[in-house]
Amino acid sequence: MKKLLSVAALLFFLQNFAQANMDLLVGTYTHSCDSKGIYVYDFNTETAAFKLKNNTDKAISPSYLTVSPDDKFVYSVNESGKESTISSFKFQPKSGRLDLLNKQSSEGADPCYIINADQNVISANYSGGTISIFKKNPDGSLAKAAQVIKHEGSSINKQRQESAHVHMVQFSPDKKFVLANDLGTDRIYLYQYNPASTNEILKFKDTIAIKTGSGPRHLIFSPDGKFIYLLQELDGTITVFDYFNGKLQRIQEATLAQNGFKGQNGGAAIKISNDGKFVYATNRGEANTISLFEVNAKGKLVHKKTISTGGKNPRDFTIVPGGKFVLVAHQDSNDIIIFNRNQATGELTNSGKKIELCSPVNLIFTKAE
């Protein structure tokens, strides 16, 4: 009987250990140091142990990534000015191997964000001020852009807002809409999403004006879909909205800047915990910090703490599945700092562990085999 119990205990341990291991995909810039593109790490979500599994070879600045719903394909932007492209890869989780399927013109310079659903891949093209929508072929590769939407306009910051700059596209939780943040025009654009359409996959529905000169960058939905948290890059503020069926109503303005801080702000990434209790946001510029906010019963943010990220230019970060750790990618100090996370209070402490690699930008977890 004891032997049977010990075998069962061992099997339980091995099963849970395997479940704790996930693939961490990292998108990078390749123009400033020796990066090969996309890196795949085996990462243990219980211990933060990690090991490099594989990487692409000579992919050009695949800074932002998106993984297909079935985990079989990865799509990336390739930021390279007017020569920018969107790439499709076949992904093999067991080995971490990424095989390039094809590339298509991004139809807009410097794509900086990318999302996908069953039928389509959608990119936000920063310098081009466009949104491009690509149909997926049966083998996971991409057809040429089926639709390109061009934004027009500008705002008061003559250096950063001289024209439209689409910085993010994001599905609503029910996938009825796509929201597009435009840093250059200080607006969120709302599009109805028609996935099966051949040439009008996104149909304009509304536009929401944001504080002039703030530069909307990234947004997240609360887990219940009732609130939106929008991070503005240029002034380091967060706007909170009530959300229902394509309608946004502003309810709060918060800030990343600490009292007395007089340096340059650079809001970068914003994320929410799976339980909806905590929002985190990074501030680049001269701050290099991550701020913790508690979410109250009405969806509003209460600032709890701001700490150093331990590196330079915290471009992106992610809350590790399970919630025990937060990884912060530093584009300019070439590392990913691993923070311990108190799941009760939301507070972060530097674990002393880090992943060193060239110019990390985007962090995505997928299931490992």
Side-chain angles (χ1 to χ4, degrees), residues 7 50 108 126 137 145 151 182 205 231 241 300 303 353:
V7 171
F50 59 88
Y126 180 84
N137 295 318
H151 286 184
D182 196 314
K205 181 177 178 10
L231 177 61
F241 298 89
K300 294 184 178 181
H303 179 259
K353 299 178 181 179

Side-chain angles (χ1 to χ4, degrees), residues 60-62 64 66 74-80 83-89 100-108 110-116 121-125 132-134 141-143 145:
I60 298 173
S61 290
Y64 275 81
T66 183
V74 173
Y75 302 95
S76 82
V77 305
N78 301 104
E79 288 191 54
S80 186
E83 304 302 317
S84 295
T85 58
I86 305 296
S87 293
S88 62
F89 298 88
L100 180 66
L101 294 173
N102 76 332
K103 294 181 180 181
Q104 295 290 0
S105 169
S106 60
E107 301 295 342
D110 299 317
C112 62
Y113 209 88
I114 187 168
I115 58 176
N116 87 102
V121 173
I122 306 173
S123 70
N125 306 315
S132 300
I133 305 95
F134 305 85
S141 64
L142 296 175

Side-chain angles (χ1 to χ4, degrees), residues 174-218:
D174 58 11
K175 288 193 168 56
K176 289 182 179 179
F177 304 100
V178 168
L179 290 78
N181 304 333
D182 196 314
L183 180 146
T185 63
D186 286 322
R187 289 182 175 273
I188 298 174
Y189 292 79
L190 187 75
Y191 296 92
Q192 183 177 325
Y193 180 52
N194 307 302
S197 175
T198 56
N199 58 5
E200 197 176 28
I201 302 157
L202 296 186
K203 184 177 181 180
F204 176 79
K205 181 177 178 10
D206 199 3
T207 180
I208 299 94
I210 311 302
K211 184 170 56 175
T212 302
S214 62
R217 179 182 170 91
H218 285 184

